[in-house]
Amino acid sequence: METKKASEVEKAVISISKALIIVVVLFLISVVIFVTTLIDSTSGTSVEIVTESSPGNTLETSAPALKSPPALQDYWQPPGANTIPVGQAGEMIRYGKELIAHTSTYLGPKGKVANISNGMNCQNCHLDAGTKPFGNNYSAVYSTYPKFRARSGTKESIEKRINDCFERSLNGKPLPSTGREMQAMLAYMKWLGTGVKNGDTPEGAGLQKLAFLDRAADPKKGSAVYSGKCISCHGKIGEGLLNPDNTSYTYPPLWGENSYNDGAGLYRIVSFAGFVKNNMPLGATHENPQLTDEEAWDIAAYVNSQPRPHKNQVKDWKDLSKKPIDFPFGPYGDKFSEEQHKFGPFKPIVNKRS
């Protein structure tokens, strides 16, 4: 009898032990699942130090703040090709894109339509036919023009702005404003602005402005960076690379007689540094730059210290208070030298104006 009772007790102990083991195992599994979920939920979260080199900030220095890094989908993206209308309207849009991408084929020294430019293409400065975020894209052109521009001191149309590029960046002659080529470019830019509200400037439009250096941008340092990272495309003497039939540049000249003149927007190193940082060398993007800010500033100083065609700019910036701090030609409304206005340091100029 006692043996039977002992056996029943033993069985009860074993049952209780098994139950406890199961409870412990289930508890440990729950802990593992909880910890794994917690890790997964935080591993994809990061923060970014937002400074004056981040999109949306001005040239002025500002206190850093924490924010989530903007995702690529937050930047403006061009409309899909399937949204191009059929018929003549669509043909004009496609022709406009072709003119932007292969300007020299139609309007260069050996152009099919006219010979009014230097052999560069619009997309050498407005990347991917004006569609790349922070690549000088056209997303805000139709939504913000006509508008007042301090350089000319007048309200400018899109046609005037396009011809500014022809006369400065392409070192050429203006297009007739009512001609087919101008109208095609306008049609393409209008289509690119589909969905952008009047007066709006989307995220990723234009060029990013980098934080100012505490020193002047250095052409000698820029020469060293250029030799290591730019020569393979743009050449030892900035001559660029012509395509096989010599009608257009695969990689544009950065200085010399066939490059942009000293009235072009990229001749100002604040603009050039931002352009280079987000787009160069080939393959770089705003999300994945290949240069530091200092390298970008120094390359800009080096490239824009090289010889190039001159543009008479005597009629530019009649109001000296509106002249940009990096405009390299006097007179100025301050006592800083042309050298400092061209290469910096820019913080003292900004501080004096504020």
Side-chain angles (χ1 to χ4, degrees):
M1 189 72 171
E2 291 178 358
T3 302
K4 185 177 179 180
K5 287 183 177 180
S7 178
E8 290 175 353
V9 170
E10 184 178 351
K11 288 180 179 179
V13 170
I14 292 173
S15 296
I16 292 171
S17 298
K18 288 181 177 179
L20 286 172
I21 291 172
I22 292 172
V23 170
V24 170
V25 170
L26 289 174
F27 175 77
L28 291 175
I29 291 173
S30 299
V31 170
V32 170
I33 292 173
F34 175 78
V35 171
T36 302
T37 303
L38 182 63
I39 292 173
D40 286 344
S41 68
T42 58
S43 62
T45 303
S46 59
V47 295
E48 180 187 37
I49 300 298
V50 180
T51 66
E52 55 272 24
S53 64
S54 300
N57 284 281
T58 67
L59 291 178
E60 308 296 336
T61 57
S62 57
L66 293 176
K67 64 175 287 187
S68 298
L72 183 60
Q73 62 266 24
D74 293 334
Y75 299 132
W76 172 83
Q77 296 295 321
N82 61 342
T83 67
I84 297 177
V86 298
Q88 185 176 2
E91 290 176 6
M92 287 294 279
I93 291 170
R94 291 187 179 90
Y95 184 41
K97 180 178 181 179
E98 178 71 8
L99 288 168
I100 297 296
H102 305 291
T103 316
S104 185
T105 301
Y106 299 89
L107 302 168
K110 298 181 180 180
K112 298 176 182 179
V113 176
N115 313 120
I116 61 170
S117 62
N118 59 4
M120 292 176 66
N121 301 312
C122 294
Q123 77 169 0
N124 292 145
C125 299
H126 303 277
L127 301 180
D128 298 341
T131 65
K132 186 179 180 184
F134 297 104
N136 225 1
N137 65 62
Y138 296 132
S139 61
V141 171
Y142 230 83
S143 66
T144 58
Y145 278 86
K147 70 178 179 182
F148 178 84
R149 299 191 71 220
R151 183 169 68 184
S152 65
T154 63
K155 190 173 185 178
E156 295 184 4
S157 64
I158 301 177
E159 293 91 334
K160 171 67 166 65
R161 186 68 188 88
I162 289 173
N163 275 332
D164 270 357
C165 283
F166 269 92
E167 295 182 71
R168 295 168 186 260
S169 298
L170 299 180
N171 193 39
K173 300 175 182 178
L175 278 171
S177 61
T178 58
R180 183 168 182 260
E181 283 63 41
M182 176 65 80
Q183 294 306 306
M185 289 184 177
L186 292 174
Y188 176 61
M189 292 178 187
K190 182 178 182 179
W191 172 74
L192 284 181
T194 300
V196 180
K197 294 180 180 179
N198 188 44
D200 283 0
T201 299
E203 289 289 335
L207 299 172
Q208 182 190 26
K209 305 301 184 182
L210 304 183
F212 294 136
L213 300 179
D214 290 325
R215 60 170 174 83
D218 189 336
K220 289 184 178 179
K221 290 181 178 180
S223 175
V225 180
Y226 181 92
S227 295
K229 299 186 177 184
C230 310
I231 276 182
S232 60
C233 291
H234 297 287
K236 186 175 181 180
I237 56 173
E239 72 274 20
L241 178 65
L242 280 165
N243 64 12
D245 59 4
N246 292 336
T247 60
S248 183
Y249 283 96
T250 302
Y251 302 111
L254 297 185
W255 62 86
E257 62 180 0
N258 296 319
S259 188
Y260 57 88
N261 64 43
D262 59 14
L266 288 183
Y267 189 65
R268 291 170 45 201
I269 70 168
V270 168
S271 296
F272 198 103
F275 179 83
V276 168
K277 174 65 187 287
N278 288 295
N279 301 290
M280 298 294 154
L282 190 65
T285 65
H286 176 69
E287 311 296 330
N288 297 292
Q290 298 181 31
L291 299 171
T292 66
D293 281 14
E294 287 202 355
E295 288 174 328
W297 279 110
D298 291 337
I299 287 175
Y302 173 64
V303 169
N304 282 336
S305 65
Q306 303 305 309
R308 65 186 64 255
H310 175 65
K311 166 74 173 173
N312 185 340
Q313 300 168 62
V314 68
K315 294 183 179 181
D316 290 354
W317 310 108
K318 290 294 183 65
D319 184 348
L320 296 183
S321 68
K322 304 294 185 184
K323 185 177 283 192
I325 59 171
D326 62 333
F327 192 77
F329 304 113
Y332 304 107
D334 56 51
K335 296 182 179 180
F336 295 97
S337 67
E338 281 193 351
E339 179 83 3
Q340 186 163 349
H341 275 284
K342 183 169 183 177
F343 298 118
F346 296 114
K347 287 181 181 180
I349 304 176
V350 171
N351 293 337
K352 187 70 175 180
R353 289 192 180 187
S354 60

